[in-house]
Amino acid sequence: MPGRWSWTDAAIFIVFFVTIRCVFIWLATKAFVMMIPDGDACPMCDDETLAIERVGGWRVLGERFRRSWCIGCGWEGVLRRSDVWLSAERHRKLVNQIEASMAKSRSHSGQLPLNSKKSS
């Protein structure tokens, strides 16, 4: 009969609309993530921001996002970490490690090490 539905028709109908709903939710999430500012500059005053400790529900967002606080205007919110920022952070850590190792190996001209001084 042309006017009757079968269970196969119902399953196809349900799968189709559930898939459409999931695609809309996925697209809305992607659009929301793209609206979060990228980098470490304040979206209000374009000043430098500081990272805030990741506690509570913010950790669910993952490593790609960070809570930030603006030094200039006091803005607090979430920023996306860009690839440029991540590579700059890695570079900064590497430079700090190199400087620390060089500071340990520097000689103090004209001074003896502390363990070789004679006590009188």
Side-chain angles (χ1 to χ4, degrees), residues 62-84:
E63 292 294 320
R64 198 77 179 138
F65 302 94
R66 70 180 185 117
R67 289 181 59 207
S68 299
W69 175 74
C70 179
I71 298 170
C73 67
W75 173 85
E76 185 177 334
V78 177
L79 294 174
R80 279 187 299 142
R81 291 183 175 169
S82 67
D83 294 333
V84 173

Side-chain angles (χ1 to χ4, degrees), residues 21-38:
R21 178 70 61 168
C22 290
V23 167
F24 281 140
I25 291 171
W26 181 75
L27 287 173
T29 303
K30 292 294 276 184
F32 175 72
V33 167
M34 294 305 293
M35 288 190 310
I36 296 174
D38 193 13

Side-chain angles (χ1 to χ4, degrees), residues 18-59:
V18 167
T19 303
I20 292 292
R21 178 70 61 168
C22 290
V23 167
F24 281 140
I25 291 171
W26 181 75
L27 287 173
T29 303
K30 292 294 276 184
F32 175 72
V33 167
M34 294 305 293
M35 288 190 310
I36 296 174
D38 193 13
D40 63 346
C42 175
M44 297 299 199
C45 66
D46 206 32
D47 203 2
E48 184 180 358
T49 60
L50 299 174
I52 299 175
E53 184 180 359
R54 297 168 49 96
V55 294
W58 292 110
R59 287 183 284 171

Side-chain angles (χ1 to χ4, degrees), residues 89-106:
E89 183 67 23
R90 289 185 195 123
H91 177 58
R92 188 178 310 130
K93 285 180 182 179
L94 180 64
V95 168
N96 288 342
Q97 288 174 352
I98 291 170
E99 287 177 352
S101 66
M102 288 176 60
K104 289 179 184 177
S105 65
R106 284 189 188 138

